[in-house]
Amino acid sequence: MSASDLGDAATGGERGHARSAVARLLERAPAREDLAAAAARLAAGAVEQHGDAASAFVFRLGEEWLGLTTALVDEVLELRPVHRLPHRRDAALRGLVNVRGRLTVCVALPALLQTGPAPAVRGGARRLVVLAAPEGALAFEADEVHGSLRYPLDDVRAVPSTVAHAVARFATGVLPWGERRIGLLDADLLLHALDRRIS
């Protein structure tokens, strides 16, 4: 064996030793104290960055501005034809709509929430909102979409007792938004009510 071969073997041995040390380090289970400290650092960072805040997808039905948890909204699309289902007369069920080649149930939230008709002059603002509901995708037509809004939880107010329509039954609170108020909807309650109406 030549001197160069011996040198290569020695270098290879050092590399192998280094690799095994790295492997041992990665395979070693972290101490419980280290895990607790890392979790505390992550939690502190999350509080600093987000605080007591939440996010809502804000849209308008009729005269009412409403908010749903942002995680529930899958996408917002241009309106498309809704195909009515024969022998189904529930006002909360609009029919079926084609969303990227898949037939999706389209619901009428104004019928469920009793928000009333939309203002007459709003040209071209209406959109189809697709929800990623646990039981399967649902879609509804919104008269206007603002999009995602982050807000401090301390800004949420109780639902006024003067709210007479069905929005009050599904709302968890009211969020002041400039000169407007957003009714924050309970997503679980809303989806449960829709499921009962369309099943």
Side-chain angles (χ1 to χ4, degrees):
M1 181 180 284
S2 68
S4 62
D5 291 337
L6 286 172
D8 289 344
T11 305
E14 289 172 5
R15 286 183 190 145
H17 179 70
R19 278 197 297 270
S20 62
V22 170
R24 284 196 307 273
L25 180 63
L26 292 175
E27 290 169 359
R28 187 188 66 182
R32 190 180 304 251
E33 297 81 14
D34 293 341
L35 286 174
R41 283 195 302 273
L42 285 173
V47 169
E48 279 180 20
Q49 185 175 0
H50 301 300
D52 292 328
S55 177
F57 177 82
V58 178
F59 59 97
R60 182 177 59 79
L61 296 178
E63 296 285 356
E64 295 290 330
W65 283 95
L66 303 167
L68 274 171
T69 178
T70 306
L72 182 62
V73 178
D74 190 31
E75 57 183 326
V76 178
L77 305 168
E78 298 289 332
L79 292 186
R80 52 210 53 205
V82 178
H83 306 282
R84 295 191 181 279
L85 294 172
H87 314 300
R88 296 299 299 267
R89 301 196 180 277
D90 194 311
L93 178 63
R94 290 265 289 120
L96 297 175
V97 65
N98 187 330
V99 176
R100 303 190 188 284
R102 299 186 69 136
L103 289 178
T104 302
V105 174
C106 185
V107 296
L109 284 190
L112 182 69
L113 301 176
Q114 300 170 15
T115 53
V121 184
R122 284 287 179 180
R126 302 188 76 228
R127 294 289 183 266
L128 184 74
V129 180
V130 182
L131 304 177
E135 301 300 322
L138 290 175
F140 69 91
E141 294 169 330
D143 295 314
E144 191 173 343
V145 166
H146 169 75
S148 182
L149 175 68
R150 193 158 188 83
Y151 61 92
L153 291 175
D154 289 344
D155 287 357
V156 178
R157 303 289 176 256
V159 180
S161 57
T162 54
V163 177
H165 48 66
V167 168
R169 187 161 61 95
F170 293 97
T172 58
V174 174
L175 177 67
W177 184 42
E179 297 179 358
R180 303 185 177 105
R181 294 185 311 173
I182 300 169
L184 299 174
L185 301 174
D186 183 318
D188 291 335
L189 196 59
L190 184 72
L191 292 176
H192 179 68
L194 286 171
D195 187 52
R196 290 183 61 188
R197 294 281 293 267
I198 66 180
S199 59

